[in-house]
């Protein structure tokens, strides 16, 4: 089989704020219902039909997104020299109902689903940033035109992520 390499352009969105890292994380935890969705994947693996699936997601995703996992990269850096580093955490968040719609039209979108947020504490400890890949640039078709339904879902997801980032970084 031939190897196929397709170029595409992704956009990185970054929100900078004077809000402390710990406060941004605390706000994000609330917005994605971290406390109520920490075992969501185990629960979703047990559902038997679309109705049950939608019910579980609807009850768990109190807002637009729910929490899947986080990776505290700053802890990896501490292993090198034993010195605490500024926070660097990647949150994996999403909404499986939104993902279903996108995957109908573009199975390659699975590579970027669910979305991730990168929260970085400023080196001076004052403020932080929140970054993410703009969904419409990484979940659409890499070449050709998106189906209108897929494009609408992508644009709506762009807006949802922007609202979330705006809310958790508001000064």
């Amino acid at each position: 089989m031939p190897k196929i390499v397709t170029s595409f352009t992704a956009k990185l969105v970054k929100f900078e704020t004077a809000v402390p890292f710990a406060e941004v994380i605390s706000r994000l935890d609330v917005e994605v219902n971290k406390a109520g969705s920490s075992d969501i994947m185990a629960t979703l693996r047990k559902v038997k039909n679309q109705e049950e699936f939608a019910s579980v997601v609807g009850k768990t995703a109190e807002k637009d997104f729910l929490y899947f996992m986080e990776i505290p990269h700053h802890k990896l850096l501490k292993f090198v020299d034993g010195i605490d580093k500024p926070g660097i955490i990647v949150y994996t968040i999403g909404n499986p109902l939104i993902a279903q719609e996108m995957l109908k039209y573009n199975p390659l979108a699975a590579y970027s689903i669910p979305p991730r947020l990168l929260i970085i504490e400023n080196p001076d400890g004052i403020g932080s940033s929140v970054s993410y890949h703009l969904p419409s640039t990484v979940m659409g078709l890499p070449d050709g035109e998106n189906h209108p339904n897929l494009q609408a879902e992508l644009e709506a997801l762009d807006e949802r992520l922007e609202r979330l980032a705006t809310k958790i970084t508001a000064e």
Side-chain angles (χ1 to χ4, degrees), residues 34-129:
K34 180 179 177 181
S37 58
S38 60
D39 291 330
I40 189 65
M41 292 309 294
T43 304
L44 289 175
R45 284 186 194 98
K46 296 175 187 172
V47 300
K48 295 182 177 35
N49 57 51
Q50 180 65 24
E51 183 179 308
E52 189 178 348
F53 179 77
S55 175
V56 168
V57 172
K59 288 177 187 172
T60 308
E62 295 173 348
K63 300 181 181 171
D64 287 330
F65 301 105
L66 50 87
Y67 169 89
F68 290 110
M69 66 177 282
E70 66 190 74
I71 303 171
H73 288 290
H74 60 281
K75 291 183 179 183
L76 296 174
L77 294 174
K78 183 177 180 178
F79 294 147
V80 175
D81 57 14
I83 299 171
D84 285 328
K85 305 293 189 246
I88 304 171
I89 298 181
V90 174
Y91 264 60
T92 303
I93 64 170
N95 185 318
L97 296 173
I98 295 169
Q100 278 184 323
E101 288 302 309
M102 291 183 183
L103 292 168
K104 282 187 214 175
Y105 299 101
N106 182 16
L108 291 174
Y111 186 76
S112 298
I113 294 173
R116 289 169 293 283
L117 295 177
L118 172 62
I119 304 91
I120 299 178
E121 182 176 21
N122 290 347
D124 61 7
I126 302 171
S128 52
S129 65

Side-chain angles (χ1 to χ4, degrees), residues 127-138:
S128 52
S129 65
V130 174
S131 302
Y132 58 89
H133 289 131
L134 190 65
S136 61
T137 67
V138 295

Side-chain angles (χ1 to χ4, degrees), residues 2-8 142-143:
K3 174 181 167 182
I4 300 170
V5 177
T6 305
S7 295
F8 68 98
D143 51 7

Side-chain angles (χ1 to χ4, degrees), residues 150-163:
L150 174 58
Q151 188 61 37
E153 288 290 337
L154 290 169
E155 290 171 5
L157 183 54
D158 288 351
E159 291 172 14
R160 286 181 180 108
L161 277 171
E162 182 173 348
R163 273 195 312 270

